[in-house]
Amino acid sequence: STGVTTSPSLSVMVTDPEGRPLTVNYYGRKTTGSGETFSVIGLPDTQSYTASELGGLPAMFNAQTQWIRDNHVSENIVFVSHFGDVTDNNQEYEWVIADNAMSALDVGADIPYGISPGNHDQDGGTTVPYNTYFGISRFEGRSYYGGSYGSDNDNNYELFSAAGMDFMIIHLEYDPAIGAIQWADGILKDNPSKRAIVTSHSLIGTGNPASFSSIGQVIYDELKDNPNLFLMLCGHVNGAGRRTDIYNGSVVHTLLADYQSDDGGGNGFLRIMEFLPESALINVSTFSPYL
């Protein structure tokens, strides 16, 4: 059919001569509309850049976001997700550097993005610096901002559309409280027609298939019954990792990317996730605008 809503009602009339109960299974998928390719960018841990450690430099962080800004039209970049550990020591000077880098996505560009605070962004038992620079007030009023859990922006979600499809992405802080995970579960259940991504700082380790962290296992177990969830993203562990899980026929892919301990504290490497709707594929590449 054409011209139907994104949440159509389906019905069928079935009968059994003996009056027994029948189960009806539907199989199908919504067409993607334009079929255009688009990209979601992942920013792995930037802590070595903001703290100028292990050879990392603020210029590497700046190169990442400037490349996104310069190429968001040609690459059809529809969203940017930061995997957490924005800073290494949760110090104000590091947050100033992060603010300067991420502002390239704001002024004159308005490229949708979200952040999952990492454990280093919680140093000292506080996320006040994070919320000072990337709190609710920074995002409130932006069309893509969905809201947050509680009175701060430690756990938040955003909305975006591409190729005729509606998406939501939930950013959970490192080791989120069960209340925050249940909030995320409610957001997923309230938006069943939106294809969902979850970013949280710690989910899996390296390798393929990678193992869930204890935190990642809890998050997956609490959210796996949502058929609209298809992708989870994380950092925290240096290296790359991947796993695929299936629950009640629903597939969730989880990807790890973190280069903080590599040469140059990561050398500005980021993740490009290119969505090809007509092929039902996501091509993932690792690229450094700095190099």
Side-chain angles (χ1 to χ4, degrees), residues 3-266:
V4 298
T5 66
T6 55
S7 300
S9 296
L10 305 180
S11 63
V12 63
M13 181 70 71
V14 295
T15 59
D16 182 85
E18 298 178 5
R20 294 174 297 187
L22 300 175
T23 298
V24 175
N25 296 317
Y26 289 96
Y27 298 91
R29 65 180 180 183
K30 192 182 78 172
T31 58
T32 57
S34 65
E36 65 179 352
T37 62
F38 59 91
S39 296
V40 172
I41 304 298
L43 291 178
D45 309 40
T46 55
Q47 61 200 82
S48 295
Y49 312 146
T50 56
S52 296
E53 296 173 342
L54 302 176
L57 298 169
M60 296 173 181
F61 199 169
N62 293 334
Q64 290 178 323
T65 54
Q66 188 61 48
W67 179 85
I68 294 169
R69 180 189 178 103
D70 292 343
N71 293 276
H72 83 277
V73 174
S74 61
E75 298 289 331
N76 199 14
I77 297 170
V78 297
F79 197 86
V80 180
S81 180
H82 197 302
F83 299 166
D85 275 359
V86 181
T87 68
D88 192 44
N89 306 296
N90 204 16
Q91 297 296 307
E92 184 168 8
Y93 79 90
E94 296 173 281
W95 287 108
V96 170
I97 291 170
D99 177 36
N100 181 64
M102 296 300 290
S103 290
L105 308 181
D106 293 327
V107 182
D110 196 28
I111 301 169
Y113 66 91
I115 299 175
S116 296
N119 55 303
H120 285 264
D121 304 323
Q122 302 169 338
D123 275 0
T126 179
T127 57
V128 169
Y130 163 77
N131 281 285
T132 298
Y133 289 92
F134 296 98
I136 295 172
S137 61
R138 185 182 185 115
F139 297 94
E140 209 166 28
R142 300 188 184 190
S143 59
Y144 62 83
Y145 184 63
S148 65
Y149 170 70
S151 59
D152 55 38
N153 207 40
D154 293 359
N155 302 277
N156 55 81
Y157 77 99
E158 291 76 34
L159 308 166
F160 65 93
S161 298
M165 297 180 287
D166 296 325
F167 293 84
M168 66 182 305
I169 179 164
I170 301 173
H171 290 85
L172 294 173
E173 66 179 324
Y174 173 81
D175 196 9
I178 191 63
I181 302 174
Q182 291 172 344
W183 165 81
D185 184 57
I187 295 294
L188 291 169
K189 286 180 168 56
D190 288 343
N191 296 273
S193 64
K194 291 181 172 59
R195 299 162 193 259
I197 303 169
V198 168
T199 297
S200 192
H201 184 57
S202 173
L203 292 172
I204 60 173
T206 58
N208 181 20
S211 298
F212 274 122
S213 65
S214 58
I215 300 168
Q217 188 70 65
V218 171
I219 292 174
Y220 174 72
D221 286 344
E222 290 291 323
L223 303 181
K224 65 184 180 182
D225 66 337
N226 294 283
N228 51 336
L229 175 63
F230 72 97
L231 180 64
M232 300 202 299
L233 308 170
C234 69
H236 188 56
V237 179
N238 197 79
R242 173 184 177 182
R243 66 175 291 129
T244 301
D245 294 278
I246 302 175
Y247 179 77
N248 284 347
S250 296
V251 180
V252 176
H253 301 283
T254 305
L255 302 177
L256 157 73
D258 177 17
Y259 310 108
Q260 59 175 307
S261 299
D262 291 354
D263 292 343

